[in-house]
Amino acid sequence: MKKLLLTLFTLTGMAASAQIAPGSDAPDFTVTDINGTTHTLSDYLAQGKTVILDISATWCGPCWNYHESGVLEQLYYTYGPEGSDDLVVLFIEGDNGTSVESLYGTNMPGDNGVTAGDWTKHSPYPVIDSWDVGQLYQINYFPTIFRICPNGKVSEVEQLQFPAFRDNINANCGVLTDLQQHGKTVIDDLVVCEGGSAVPKVSVTNYGFQTITSATIELRNGFEVLAVKNYTGNIPMFDDTTIMLDPISIGPADNYEAVVTSINGAVPGNVQTASDIFNVTETLEGGNNITVKVHTNFYPGEISWAIKNSAGVVVGSGGPYEFGNEDFFGGGGADANTTKIHQFTLPGNDVECHSVEFYSANGWGWMIGETPHGIEIESGGEVIFSKFVENFGSVLAVPAAFKTSGMLGTPGQQAITFTMYPNPTTGLLHIITNEPASISIYDLAGKKVYSDNVADGSPINLASLQKGMYIAQVKTDTLHKTEKLIIN
């Protein structure tokens, strides 16, 4: 009954007021976010920060629409810890009838309407599951958004866009600091073939109040500058661009860094946000006999793929698959949301690097469907390439995806003890090998989220990772083992 009433308030109660009176003293609270970090309101206020509370429910459509608009994300990167550090944004899931899993989008629309999607995906700010905060602030409907000034006075605000939100804070809580040259830098981890090179791609998003027309980017290994790229172009506020660096020979290692050292000829407004750490790993090797497992989406007639050798020649391909008849666009059917298996013997008698390309005829990537979508390639029973994708547009090319040895079988396999359990896991993972080993864990976008050395049998604590499916790679001197890992 509670959820029904809140749904009605969500649809019809937007003109109502939250019961807590505007200008009241904000009730203090201490909460712990989904990553285990504690947040106390009075501590933030004592630091002179404005606090924005977004109290929403995972099943609430208007809440989801405002979340996806990116306004609070813009506020966070402009004025939060990765901007001028004037304010704090806290997202509160305030419905006691939903589970923490709903924040990760594991219960999709249609499953009792529990969640509208993955609320963590565009939330660089803390995400908190707390019915108590909503009760403390006496909310009547979702979403309810509060502005708490450094003096502790609280008022509800509407679902404002960025300029109006900024003006509202400036008028009531003190003027925020506008950084002029301010960009967020993101670089993906690189995968290289042995003795090969990679093309680093650096994404820069402008959160400053001046259009970025020039920037200097450095790749570093500690204090050593490996490459420099001078960018000229046009990046308006809140837009982003991907800057391609020149090909670089680079070896496997952790903690390389991409740094934007200047924006429009000036030092970036937040040097922490202007850099990003990345790792370089060597692509996995298999024999020339491979098995390609294609995990299709809801529109299999729109997707296809190809494997190319180092000369750019297609040596394997598949799709498009069978169209369905469940909608006007050919969705559904026998080939939708399933796994198509292909066997290939790739040409060549020497070590060869291969790329994998994903194609989408409708320009939406492989994003639509109820299952993860992507490609896994196996050789000799081992996964040598795995990538799950969403909306990449029409073409996604993955260079140095895997390499082959020039032999039909997988050479040099030995009887090696290997056990990884439990899988699925709730956080603690055990790995048993008879050799010193290391583990790297990647999310489905291919980004490394965890790495460490393995002490035989000692538990690895993965509780800091979000729930979902990952790819775990365990390496010893004689073993490269890749397996799916599920964290519940």
Side-chain angles (χ1 to χ4, degrees), residues 73-74 77-78 179 182-184 205-209 237-238:
E73 185 177 13
Q74 292 169 349
Y77 280 124
T78 306
L179 300 180
H182 174 39
K184 177 173 175 55
T205 304
N206 183 10
Y207 288 102
F209 282 80
M237 190 175 189
F238 300 141

Side-chain angles (χ1 to χ4, degrees), residues 117-185:
D118 185 354
W119 294 80
T120 67
K121 190 171 183 180
H122 298 294
S123 300
Y125 41 83
V127 174
I128 299 155
D129 183 35
S130 175
W131 178 70
D132 293 338
V133 174
Q135 295 300 296
L136 188 65
Y137 280 74
Q138 306 171 31
I139 66 168
N140 287 326
Y141 50 83
F142 299 125
T144 301
I145 301 171
F146 292 103
R147 181 207 68 229
I148 306 172
C149 295
N151 62 7
K153 302 301 181 182
V154 59
S155 293
E156 183 186 349
V157 295
E158 298 177 359
Q159 297 173 48
L160 304 174
Q161 297 303 302
F162 178 85
F165 220 138
R166 177 195 60 204
D167 293 346
N168 183 289
I169 296 171
N170 285 342
N172 293 281
C173 301
V175 178
L176 298 165
T177 303
D178 294 337
L179 300 180
Q180 301 302 310
Q181 326 296 339
H182 174 39
K184 177 173 175 55
T185 303

Side-chain angles (χ1 to χ4, degrees), residues 268-285:
N270 188 314
V271 294
Q272 176 182 351
T273 310
S275 68
D276 191 28
I277 291 174
F278 67 99
N279 300 321
V280 179
T281 56
E282 188 174 312
T283 188
L284 297 179
E285 180 179 308

Side-chain angles (χ1 to χ4, degrees), residues 300-323:
E302 300 285 345
I303 68 173
S304 57
W305 55 273
I307 297 172
K308 295 182 178 180
N309 63 18
S310 58
V313 176
V314 175
V315 293
S317 62
Y321 299 100
E322 182 179 342
F323 282 88

Side-chain angles (χ1 to χ4, degrees), residues 328-410:
F328 179 78
F329 302 101
D335 286 347
N337 296 320
T338 189
T339 301
K340 306 294 292 184
I341 298 178
H342 307 265
Q343 304 285 346
F344 292 95
T345 298
L346 301 180
N349 299 315
D350 298 314
V351 172
E352 177 72 45
C353 291
H354 296 84
S355 62
V356 175
E357 296 187 358
F358 298 76
Y359 307 120
S360 169
N362 58 27
W364 299 338
W366 294 15
M367 63 177 290
I368 302 174
E370 299 177 354
T371 57
H373 320 118
I375 294 177
E376 294 177 289
I377 299 177
E378 296 179 356
S379 176
E382 300 289 336
V383 177
I384 59 174
F385 172 77
S386 178
K387 187 169 184 63
F388 290 83
V389 296
E390 294 184 357
N391 185 2
F392 55 79
S394 297
V395 180
L396 174 64
V398 183
F402 67 98
K403 63 184 176 182
T404 51
S405 62
M407 303 179 66
L408 295 182
T410 303

